[in-house]
Amino acid sequence: MRAAALLLLAVAACGPIPREDAEAACFRRAELALHPRGYVEIGTGSGGHTYTGVEINASSDFFMGRDPAAVYQTCVYNKSGEMPTRPLYERPDWRG
């Protein structure tokens, strides 16, 4: 009985997610398809200790030269089974 419940949960996790959740997740992917993101930090802590950090995020979509709008549309459809409510370039929060 317990094994059947775990199997059911595992199968349910593979199913579609709500379109709104897919759009939020895929928006980030579309941003990374446009250009890499990252930051550099340099600082000094107490006692004169210095620290540095670098983080760069890039996606294969960027390196393949894929259109962010196509990446977004395909991603939303694959995650939710539905098309986005509006195209990427019509979203007011898109800064492409």
Side-chain angles (χ1 to χ4, degrees), residues 19 23 72 76 83-93:
R19 180 172 42 197
E23 289 176 336
Y72 177 74
V76 171
M83 297 302 285
T85 55
R86 67 172 71 177
L88 176 67
Y89 296 147
E90 292 181 12
R91 287 181 54 142
D93 53 351

Side-chain angles (χ1 to χ4, degrees), residues 5-94:
L6 288 175
L7 180 61
L8 184 61
L9 282 174
V11 171
C14 298
I17 64 173
R19 180 172 42 197
E20 295 77 26
D21 294 345
E23 289 176 336
C26 296
F27 186 79
R28 171 80 171 138
R29 184 170 173 188
E31 287 181 322
L32 290 174
L34 181 62
H35 49 74
R37 305 268 192 220
Y39 68 86
V40 175
E41 62 182 3
I42 302 171
T44 303
S46 60
H49 299 286
T50 59
Y51 62 90
T52 59
V54 176
E55 180 176 317
I56 298 174
N57 295 305
S59 73
S60 60
D61 296 320
F62 169 75
F63 292 113
M64 299 291 287
R66 293 189 179 118
D67 176 25
V71 169
Y72 177 74
Q73 181 175 321
T74 302
C75 178
V76 171
Y77 183 78
N78 288 341
K79 288 184 177 293
S80 69
E82 300 179 67
M83 297 302 285
T85 55
R86 67 172 71 177
L88 176 67
Y89 296 147
E90 292 181 12
R91 287 181 54 142
D93 53 351
W94 177 251

